[in-house]
Amino acid sequence: MKEYGGFLPFELRQGKEYFDAYEQEFSVKRLNCGRSTFWYAAKAAMPRKIYVPYLNCADSTDPFKDLNIPYEYYQLDDDLTPKGIAPSAKEAVLWINYYGDASAEKIEQVCRRYKDSILLIDHCHAFFSEPLHGVYNCYSMRKFFGVCDGAYLVADRLPELKLERADSAKYYSFILESIEKGTNAVYDRNLANEERLHQEKALEMSVVTQKILKSIDYEGIRRKRWQNFLELHQHLKGINAFPVNMESDTHMYYPLFVEHPRLRERLIENRIYTPTWWRHVPEYFQEETLEVRLARYMLMIPIDQRYGKTDMKEMADIILRENRR
């Protein structure tokens, strides 16, 4: 029975979720985290085997282990597409749109290459990348918006799997507290939240996360991030060894590849915090492969909606200065 009266709840704009617009032509599942999208897609397809990139989170294979689906690692070509694999029609490929940098042409190329197999595209680095037909499109919210969980799986047809609904209201306190104290002051609780999600099974998206996602100005955020990206590139393109795709406006960060052994550490000293992804990857290889170099030297420079042109210039000045040391 509906409640009436009492105190007022947290006020949020009543808008629409980003993927509401795609529900006329796709099936959209709202889940608790990115790994749950892998689990749901694999449960729907049940491939005989799945090919997974070495350059990925250490726990990315957990959903496949849970479903007893064998997996095999693959390496990347220089263009960050799979190298040396030939999956059958009953096998699947998990491919990542790395850094949100892939062009529409590259994504379509990957889709054509594996059109006779099962393809999962991980867009967790590329929230604004358009979903494609014939594949399982996986999206995560935490890297783009101020939520503590939430993910979408978008595909042509998805079965209705019975899942419990996530209950995440109690985990939002560190995000609210960051408004007053800054993100660094509550970073340990952010890590605890990440660990919580690592331990969670696949769940339906929580009510509170879905409500927050209905309140977001998606086009304003996309535009702001793209402006920041362009501004940063103007200053850093001279030292960036990564061939940045300037036609993509879906980047999560500005990917800066500089083979400087202490640059990340020096940026932290200057309060520029860049995530260290995939630090386990060098353990897989005896030699310095593309995967090892990206894991060691790729810097993810923030371009998110909190910042503007002045912030990008200030960060770029620090990066250029410290890179000369």
Side-chain angles (χ1 to χ4, degrees):
M1 183 175 175
K2 189 173 181 178
E3 294 179 348
Y4 297 92
F7 64 89
L8 293 173
F10 195 69
E11 296 287 350
L12 294 168
R13 184 175 69 92
Q14 293 301 304
K16 291 185 176 182
E17 296 167 68
Y18 185 78
F19 287 103
D20 284 355
Y22 292 95
E23 289 192 298
Q24 294 299 315
E25 55 176 320
F26 289 98
S27 179
V28 178
K29 296 299 176 188
R30 296 158 174 82
L31 303 168
N32 57 325
C33 66
R35 278 177 302 283
S36 294
T37 65
F38 299 166
W39 182 91
Y40 205 112
K43 180 75 171 175
M46 286 306 293
R48 289 179 181 168
K49 182 169 76 173
I50 185 159
Y51 292 86
V52 180
Y54 280 107
L55 192 65
N56 202 351
C57 297
D59 56 2
S60 64
T61 55
D62 288 354
F64 314 129
K65 293 175 187 175
D66 182 66
L67 294 168
N68 294 313
I69 297 173
Y71 58 91
E72 180 180 321
Y73 288 110
Y74 67 80
Q75 287 187 252
L76 297 170
D77 261 326
D78 290 341
D79 65 354
L80 303 184
T81 61
K83 178 170 71 174
I85 60 172
S88 71
K90 299 286 189 179
E91 295 177 332
V93 177
L94 171 64
W95 176 67
I96 298 173
N97 180 350
Y98 287 100
Y99 318 117
D101 189 72
S103 64
E105 292 75 20
K106 182 183 289 187
I107 297 171
E108 289 171 6
Q109 171 196 334
V110 172
C111 290
R112 286 195 302 271
R113 189 187 303 177
Y114 302 111
K115 63 182 175 62
D116 296 325
S117 303
I118 301 158
L119 179 61
L120 286 68
I121 299 184
D122 180 355
H123 289 300
C124 292
H125 300 178
F127 176 81
F128 293 107
S129 189
E130 297 290 310
L132 295 175
H133 290 287
V135 304
Y136 295 94
N137 303 274
C138 306
Y139 300 86
S140 178
M141 308 298 101
R142 300 191 311 287
K143 298 178 177 69
F144 282 82
F145 312 108
V147 290
C148 71
D149 51 23
Y152 293 93
L153 175 62
V154 183
D156 292 325
R157 290 180 302 278
L158 290 167
E160 291 294 334
L161 303 179
K162 274 200 164 186
L163 300 177
E164 297 174 31
R165 187 178 282 277
D167 178 11
S168 61
K170 56 183 172 288
Y171 301 113
Y172 269 94
S173 61
F174 78 95
I175 294 180
L176 291 172
E177 198 170 325
S178 71
I179 297 171
E180 295 181 337
K181 298 182 178 179
T183 55
N184 196 43
V186 294
Y187 184 66
D188 58 335
R189 286 159 62 193
N190 173 67
L191 293 178
N193 183 66
E194 292 294 313
E195 182 59 29
R196 184 262 302 188
L197 291 172
H198 290 169
Q199 303 300 323
E200 271 191 356
K201 61 184 179 180
L203 298 169
E204 191 178 336
M205 184 185 290
S206 76
V207 172
V208 66
T209 294
Q210 190 170 1
K211 197 170 183 68
I212 291 170
L213 291 172
K214 286 178 182 288
S215 74
I216 290 173
D217 175 11
Y218 291 102
E219 287 310 309
I221 287 174
R222 183 210 288 259
R223 185 167 56 252
K224 185 75 167 183
R225 295 175 70 97
W226 179 232
Q227 290 168 349
N228 287 341
F229 182 90
L230 292 175
E231 179 67 23
L232 208 52
H233 186 65
Q234 282 299 110
H235 299 291
L236 298 179
K237 60 185 177 183
I239 66 167
N240 193 356
F242 183 74
V244 176
N245 172 25
M246 296 307 295
E247 295 181 3
S248 171
D249 64 352
T250 65
H251 295 85
M252 181 168 67
Y253 294 93
Y254 178 79
L256 176 64
F257 187 78
V258 180
E259 294 191 62
H260 187 308
R262 294 196 59 209
L263 185 53
R264 187 190 309 275
E265 177 185 333
R266 289 174 178 171
L267 294 187
I268 292 172
E269 290 170 0
N270 285 274
R271 297 169 65 86
I272 298 175
Y273 305 113
T274 68
T276 305
W277 289 346
W278 312 318
R279 63 179 76 221
H280 66 286
V281 167
E283 299 170 8
Y284 290 132
F285 301 98
Q286 298 292 320
E287 68 281 356
E288 191 171 65
T289 63
L290 171 64
E291 289 84 356
V292 171
R293 292 173 67 224
L294 288 173
R296 282 181 175 157
Y297 300 117
M298 183 64 87
L299 297 172
M300 300 287 97
I301 310 301
I303 57 168
D304 63 72
Q305 53 272 22
R306 291 172 290 180
Y307 308 118
K309 183 176 181 178
T310 301
D311 300 303
M312 297 301 105
K313 175 66 165 60
E314 184 175 333
M315 280 197 299
D317 287 345
I318 294 170
I319 291 165
L320 292 169
R321 182 191 72 212
E322 296 301 326
N323 186 55
R324 291 192 292 267
R325 287 177 57 195

